[in-house]
Amino acid sequence: MRSSVMARVLLAVFLGALLLLAQGAVPSMKSVDPMTAKVGEELTVSGENLDKANVAEVYLTDGKNDYKATITQQAAETIKLKVPANTKPGRLALMILTRGKDQKYIEQPVKVTIEE
């Protein structure tokens, strides 16, 4: 009886670990360089889990308008992107669209100032 309880506990722990792995790593942006840019210029974003397996798209957003950036390079700890042509000047946040079955938009705590 005792061993069957232990087996159920181990099975539950194993299934929980599998579920966490199946969800994938959550992308997180930590910094952007340069912090001020113009339309067409390239930004380098540093963070974690930024590779193609986790990040589908990157946007600049002011909370009302979203501007899809073109990703030029992508790796686990960095993404390089171009500021889109239609981006309005101002202080904008970076936002990620995650990959996978249950895609999510995640606004990041990283901001960039776009100048005219």
Side-chain angles (χ1 to χ4, degrees):
M1 171 100 173
R2 186 165 170 87
S3 64
S4 69
V5 171
M6 183 61 104
R8 287 183 185 167
V9 169
L10 289 174
L11 179 61
V13 169
F14 177 73
L15 291 175
L18 280 178
L19 181 62
L20 286 174
L21 288 173
Q23 291 178 349
V26 177
S28 173
M29 294 178 166
K30 307 285 185 198
S31 65
V32 62
D33 184 50
M35 294 179 68
T36 302
K38 295 181 179 183
V39 167
E41 291 185 345
E42 187 171 71
L43 302 173
T44 301
V45 182
S46 299
E48 298 173 346
N49 305 310
L50 300 176
D51 55 342
K52 292 180 183 181
N54 295 306
V55 177
E57 297 174 354
V58 177
Y59 294 83
L60 299 173
T61 183
D62 62 9
K64 294 180 183 178
N65 302 298
D66 301 331
Y67 307 98
K68 183 179 175 185
T70 301
I71 297 173
T72 58
Q73 289 182 14
Q74 192 169 1
E77 295 181 355
T78 60
I79 290 182
K80 291 189 178 191
L81 54 98
K82 291 214 179 247
V83 177
N86 61 339
T87 306
K88 303 275 191 265
R91 187 151 168 83
L92 305 175
L94 293 166
M95 181 170 63
I96 293 171
L97 174 62
T98 61
R99 250 191 224 288
K101 184 179 175 184
D102 189 24
Q103 291 184 306
K104 291 181 174 53
Y105 290 95
I106 304 172
E107 189 170 325
Q108 300 295 303
V110 176
K111 304 219 187 266
V112 62
T113 300
I114 304 302
E115 296 179 331
E116 287 190 50

